[in-house]
Amino acid sequence: MKKKVTLKQIAKELDVSIATVSKALRNSKEISEDTREKVKAFAKLYNYRPNNIALSLKNRKTKTIGIIIPEIVHHFFSKVIQGIEEVANKKGYNVIIGLSNESFDKEVINMEMLANGSIDGFILSMSKQTLLKQDYHHFNETISQGMPIVMFDRVVNEINCDKVVVDDLKGAKKAVVKLIENQCKNIAIITTKDYISVGRLRTQGYIEALNEHNIDTQSELILKVDDKLVSEDYIEVLEQELKTLFLENPNIDGVFAVNELYAITVMKVARKLGKRIPEDLQVIGFTDGVLSRHSTPTLTTVCQHGKKIGAVAAELLIEKLENESEYEYFKSVVIETELKERESTK
Amino acid sequence: MKKKVTLKQIAKELDVSIATVSKALRNSKEISEDTREKVKAFAKLYNYRPNNIALSLKNRKTKTIGIIIPEIVHHFFSKVIQGIEEVANKKGYNVIIGLSNESFDKEVINMEMLANGSIDGFILSMSKQTLLKQDYHHFNETISQGMPIVMFDRVVNEINCDKVVVDDLKGAKKAVVKLIENQCKNIAIITTKDYISVGRLRTQGYIEALNEHNIDTQSELILKVDDKLVSEDYIEVLEQELKTLFLENPNIDGVFAVNELYAITVMKVARKLGKRIPEDLQVIGFTDGVLSRHSTPTLTTVCQHGKKIGAVAAELLIEKLENESEYEYFKSVVIETELKERESTK
């Protein structure tokens, strides 16, 4: 059996990055001519076939949508997929899913693989590493070859494509205003590092809500969690950080957490320190997943409507696939969030 | 653009089922010659290309594993995928995922689509509808065309392929014996309808544990939940059924639930009826997901090691793909479960 060589193998063989191989095969001017020729010669020798999306599009439609998401053990992404599936199935499309595991290389490899004749277009949310590297060549080149992409949740301005996002800033603001109205005087935020756009926007919403109510922002009440390690241990690290936060700032009476796992962990740590929820401490999370609904007390949270995000993304993509437009256009749809009040607030 | 006709479209056009089209294209004797010819003529007219897996295998390896699972909003399946991914990535394989949404037709369509040159082999868990229909032609024909399948969790004897299962019976028995040892006298089980093999096996484990300890099985303590409706409402129906169960059998002091959502719902309903956990009622679930770890009280549960199941399945498949064996052989691997004791038992 003749094996098909992969991008990864070429990269390893020539001791360059997967991005370099990918760019060289697409003849990107970013890569030196020398390297481009070396990569192409090697690819030819080992019978690697670069994507030829345009060609495959001319010949057939697969009626399949490719989804690429950063991780699968995540309620929000599962709900988005449900929403995509429902619309896709109704319109006679199938769905296949690839995972980037928050890795840039895996994102590139998955896109190459799926774009190679298996699908008609992509719905995707970027990996954290891609956001950090700010290397978007694989998206831009896929689009320029005629295969549409719809991005959701984690998006960047630099890419011209349809986008579906939640109003992270407004959603966060709603949550923090609720805490202020409920008489919280010292509100902490548990958020991500700034390179995650949704974390950054939610932090901004927190600051704007405080400002508009003439409350000073206290930098010691902003905890930016480093979750680059996607391991189960990082919850233990978070618990330790939260314990320190509460012990050093005993007057904290409200917490806004940018995801539900952070919020649940806040409640757990606070309870261990003898704080009653919601009497001594009110907590609001973001993302309405199973944890929020089944925790004790149940969690007040900003609901993102993941299923709706998926449904809208699928509609946008199928619209692009089925109606050839004279003009190039890109839609950005903002899905409104909703504050679901439960037992963790007064 | 010339559209590629899909299985579904052919089925609709000729007013037959997707299974019939699929079987007819593969020239199955189950289908009348008349229908076979009609389907084939139609498929030819509209340029449908039936799978030719054997052909594609001769020409290349994709280094990609296709996974088909019944649903995605499910912690167990997510963990299995994580396990598959880890082993696959280490060995230079990629993974793509299709969802059956518990539907036979979608399972058939997904297999056709992926088998058509995108992947080297399958790892899959059957849909509920397939188990009900007992129509396994799509698995058997894929295997007979030379594409290996590894099944996990929901498996049947009728299919000759590698299998990875948990010892559902023994796992359930362990849980119920624990309740007996903890002095529970009236132990209820919350389980699925019998056509779900894992539910049936776990119920059997419950009965065996009672028998071996000379405790009579009381049929009114066996609640078989009808969850064919995969909707969020069915939890409300379950809550009502559980309330009736507890009111009619006030002496229940132990519950074994065959999944964690049932177990969490048991605790919720029991608490509302004024029962203290674990003092008045001890509860054990199955599947160690986020709910079990983060519920209040935390849930004692039978841990299935989903990640290990995935890892073993990937190893079995890659072994088949990379080592051509003289003999046909099939492995069945049983992954041991483990009882994780937490706060919901004494």
Side-chain angles (χ1 to χ4, degrees):
Chain A
M1 258 181 236
K2 194 162 184 184
K3 279 194 190 178
K4 195 190 169 204
V5 74
T6 64
L7 272 191
K8 201 169 164 182
Q9 288 163 333
I10 300 177
K12 201 176 159 196
E13 206 61 44
L14 300 178
D15 198 23
V16 295
S17 75
I18 287 175
T20 299
V21 176
S22 162
K23 286 177 184 171
L25 288 172
R26 282 163 164 165
N27 218 13
S28 160
K29 295 283 177 291
E30 269 183 65
I31 309 298
S32 75
E33 207 181 313
D34 190 44
T35 306
R36 266 185 281 158
E37 301 209 331
K38 205 163 62 181
V39 170
K40 283 194 223 161
F42 190 91
K44 200 173 167 193
L45 184 64
Y46 285 91
N47 202 25
Y48 176 84
R49 294 212 206 148
N51 276 347
N52 208 331
I53 298 166
L55 192 74
S56 83
L57 274 182
K58 263 182 219 142
N59 296 322
R60 63 163 193 164
K61 284 194 169 190
T62 61
K63 286 284 220 177
T64 302
I65 295 172
I67 303 177
I68 297 180
I69 51 169
E71 47 168 330
I72 201 160
V73 192
H74 196 304
H75 192 264
F76 171 66
F77 290 122
S78 309
K79 287 310 247 186
V80 173
I81 290 174
Q82 270 196 341
I84 295 172
E85 279 254 320
E86 276 182 21
V87 170
N89 290 341
K90 225 175 281 165
K91 307 210 169 183
Y93 281 76
N94 236 300
V95 153
I96 48 180
I97 304 157
L99 303 175
S100 68
N101 283 338
E102 303 289 13
S103 140
F104 171 80
D105 281 356
K106 280 217 68 185
E107 193 173 84
V108 172
I109 291 174
N110 268 305
M111 284 192 70
E112 297 267 356
M113 177 183 66
L114 291 179
N116 220 338
S118 302
I119 62 157
D120 297 337
F122 283 108
I123 297 176
L124 57 85
S125 192
M126 264 183 265
S127 78
K128 284 184 193 168
Q129 217 189 359
T130 308
L131 287 165
L132 263 176
K133 282 176 82 111
Q134 304 185 19
D135 182 344
Y136 311 126
H137 82 281
H138 48 311
F139 305 126
N140 287 324
E141 286 166 9
T142 303
I143 296 165
S144 71
Q145 285 183 54
M147 178 166 281
I149 294 180
V150 179
M151 294 204 169
F152 68 91
D153 198 43
R154 298 188 192 157
V155 304
V156 291
N157 291 330
E158 288 88 331
I159 304 170
N160 284 326
C161 66
D162 289 338
K163 287 162 196 166
V164 187
V165 293
V166 291
D167 55 346
D168 286 292
L169 195 150
K170 259 172 73 186
K173 218 162 149 178
K174 248 183 258 182
V176 177
V177 167
K178 177 77 198 165
L179 291 172
I180 295 170
E181 286 171 354
N182 279 6
Q183 311 302 325
C184 293
K185 303 291 175 213
N186 294 283
I187 302 171
I189 179 170
I190 318 301
T191 184
T192 64
K193 298 276 180 197
D194 282 341
Y195 72 94
I196 307 284
S197 55
V198 301
R200 192 178 59 240
L201 287 168
R202 290 171 197 172
T203 307
Q204 208 177 317
Y206 159 83
I207 293 171
E208 284 189 14
L210 294 183
N211 284 347
E212 285 174 19
H213 289 78
N214 300 315
I215 301 171
D216 289 336
T217 310
Q218 299 164 261
S219 65
E220 62 275 22
L221 299 188
I222 302 179
L223 178 60
K224 293 187 180 173
V225 181
D226 191 357
D227 66 349
K228 249 174 278 179
L229 307 159
V230 185
S231 85
E232 276 164 27
D233 301 333
Y234 101 91
I235 287 297
E236 277 166 42
V237 176
L238 174 59
E239 280 180 22
Q240 202 45 55
E241 287 182 317
L242 287 171
K243 197 174 160 190
T244 308
L245 177 75
F246 282 125
L247 290 177
E248 288 180 357
N249 305 280
N251 55 0
I252 291 174
D253 51 6
V255 173
F256 168 57
V258 301
N259 63 46
E260 66 170 2
L261 190 54
Y262 290 179
I264 297 289
T265 311
V266 164
M267 295 206 290
K268 194 167 153 193
V269 171
R271 239 190 340 253
K272 276 192 195 152
L273 295 173
K275 289 181 191 284
R276 292 166 307 161
I277 298 165
E279 294 83 353
D280 306 328
L281 180 74
Q282 298 184 60
V283 182
I284 300 183
F286 211 109
T287 307
D288 186 27
V290 278
L291 283 176
S292 308
R293 286 197 297 277
H294 297 289
S295 65
T296 313
T298 53
L299 183 69
T300 296
T301 195
V302 182
C303 175
Q304 291 160 294
H305 302 297
K307 221 166 138 179
K308 192 164 174 199
I309 292 174
V312 171
E315 278 163 12
L316 289 176
L317 184 65
I318 293 171
E319 186 187 308
K320 272 263 156 73
L321 291 174
E322 301 196 342
N323 307 303
E324 276 173 69
S325 163
E326 261 182 85
Y327 312 101
E328 196 183 41
Y329 66 91
F330 303 107
K331 287 191 187 168
S332 274
V333 180
V334 178
I335 308 291
E336 285 273 318
T337 59
E338 182 194 345
L339 190 67
K340 282 212 179 155
E341 294 187 42
R342 297 206 184 89
E343 297 162 359
S344 66
T345 46
K346 283 181 197 165
Chain B
M1 263 184 234
K2 193 162 186 182
K3 277 192 192 180
K4 198 192 166 203
V5 73
T6 65
L7 271 190
K8 200 169 166 181
Q9 287 163 335
I10 299 177
K12 201 177 158 195
E13 205 62 42
L14 300 177
D15 198 23
V16 294
S17 75
I18 286 175
T20 299
V21 176
S22 161
K23 287 176 185 171
L25 288 172
R26 283 164 164 165
N27 219 15
S28 160
K29 294 281 177 291
E30 269 183 66
I31 309 298
S32 75
E33 206 181 311
D34 189 46
T35 306
R36 266 185 282 156
E37 296 205 336
K38 205 162 64 182
V39 170
K40 283 193 225 162
F42 189 91
K44 199 174 166 191
L45 184 64
Y46 285 91
N47 202 28
Y48 176 83
R49 295 212 205 150
N51 276 346
N52 210 330
I53 297 166
L55 192 75
S56 84
L57 275 181
K58 263 183 219 141
N59 296 324
R60 60 167 194 160
K61 284 197 167 186
T62 62
K63 286 285 223 174
T64 302
I65 294 172
I67 303 177
I68 297 181
I69 51 169
E71 47 169 330
I72 200 161
V73 192
H74 197 305
H75 192 262
F76 171 66
F77 289 123
S78 308
K79 287 309 249 187
V80 174
I81 291 174
Q82 269 196 339
I84 296 172
E85 279 254 320
E86 276 182 21
V87 170
N89 290 341
K90 224 176 281 165
K91 306 208 171 183
Y93 282 75
N94 235 299
V95 152
I96 50 182
I97 305 157
L99 303 175
S100 68
N101 283 337
E102 303 289 11
S103 142
F104 171 79
D105 281 356
K106 280 217 67 187
E107 192 173 84
V108 173
I109 291 174
N110 267 303
M111 284 192 70
E112 297 268 354
M113 176 183 66
L114 291 179
N116 220 337
S118 301
I119 60 157
D120 297 337
F122 283 108
I123 296 175
L124 57 85
S125 191
M126 266 183 264
S127 79
K128 284 184 190 166
Q129 218 190 357
T130 307
L131 288 165
L132 263 176
K133 282 177 84 108
Q134 304 184 18
D135 181 346
Y136 311 127
H137 81 281
H138 48 312
F139 305 126
N140 287 324
E141 286 167 9
T142 303
I143 296 165
S144 72
Q145 285 182 54
M147 178 168 280
I149 294 180
V150 179
M151 293 204 168
F152 69 90
D153 198 43
R154 298 187 192 158
V155 304
V156 291
N157 291 330
E158 289 88 330
I159 304 169
N160 284 325
C161 67
D162 289 337
K163 288 161 194 165
V164 187
V165 293
V166 291
D167 55 345
D168 285 292
L169 195 151
K170 258 172 73 187
K173 220 163 148 176
K174 246 182 262 182
V176 177
V177 167
K178 177 76 199 165
L179 291 172
I180 296 170
E181 286 171 354
N182 280 4
Q183 310 301 326
C184 293
K185 303 292 175 212
N186 295 283
I187 302 171
I189 179 170
I190 319 301
T191 184
T192 64
K193 298 277 181 200
D194 281 342
Y195 72 92
I196 307 284
S197 55
V198 301
R200 192 178 60 243
L201 287 169
R202 290 171 197 173
T203 307
Q204 209 176 315
Y206 159 84
I207 293 171
E208 284 189 15
L210 294 181
N211 284 349
E212 286 174 18
H213 289 78
N214 301 313
I215 302 171
D216 288 338
T217 309
Q218 300 165 261
S219 65
E220 63 273 23
L221 298 189
I222 300 179
L223 178 62
K224 292 187 180 172
V225 181
D226 192 356
D227 65 349
K228 250 174 275 177
L229 308 159
V230 185
S231 83
E232 274 162 32
D233 301 334
Y234 101 92
I235 286 299
E236 277 167 42
V237 177
L238 175 59
E239 281 179 22
Q240 201 48 54
E241 287 182 317
L242 287 171
K243 197 174 160 189
T244 310
L245 177 76
F246 282 124
L247 291 176
E248 287 177 359
N249 304 280
N251 56 0
I252 291 174
D253 51 5
V255 173
F256 168 56
V258 302
N259 63 46
E260 65 170 2
L261 191 54
Y262 291 180
I264 297 289
T265 311
V266 164
M267 295 207 290
K268 193 167 154 190
V269 171
R271 237 189 344 248
K272 276 190 195 155
L273 295 172
K275 290 181 190 284
R276 291 165 308 161
I277 298 165
E279 293 82 356
D280 307 327
L281 181 75
Q282 298 183 61
V283 181
I284 300 184
F286 212 108
T287 306
D288 186 27
V290 277
L291 282 177
S292 308
R293 285 197 298 276
H294 297 290
S295 64
T296 313
T298 52
L299 183 69
T300 296
T301 194
V302 182
C303 174
Q304 293 160 292
H305 301 299
K307 220 166 140 178
K308 195 168 172 192
I309 292 175
V312 172
E315 277 162 13
L316 289 175
L317 184 66
I318 294 171
E319 185 186 309
K320 272 263 157 70
L321 292 173
E322 301 197 341
N323 306 303
E324 276 173 68
S325 163
E326 261 183 84
Y327 312 102
E328 199 183 38
Y329 67 90
F330 302 108
K331 288 191 188 169
S332 274
V333 180
V334 179
I335 307 291
E336 286 273 316
T337 59
E338 182 194 344
L339 189 68
K340 281 213 179 156
E341 294 188 43
R342 297 208 183 89
E343 297 163 357
S344 67
T345 47
K346 282 179 196 164

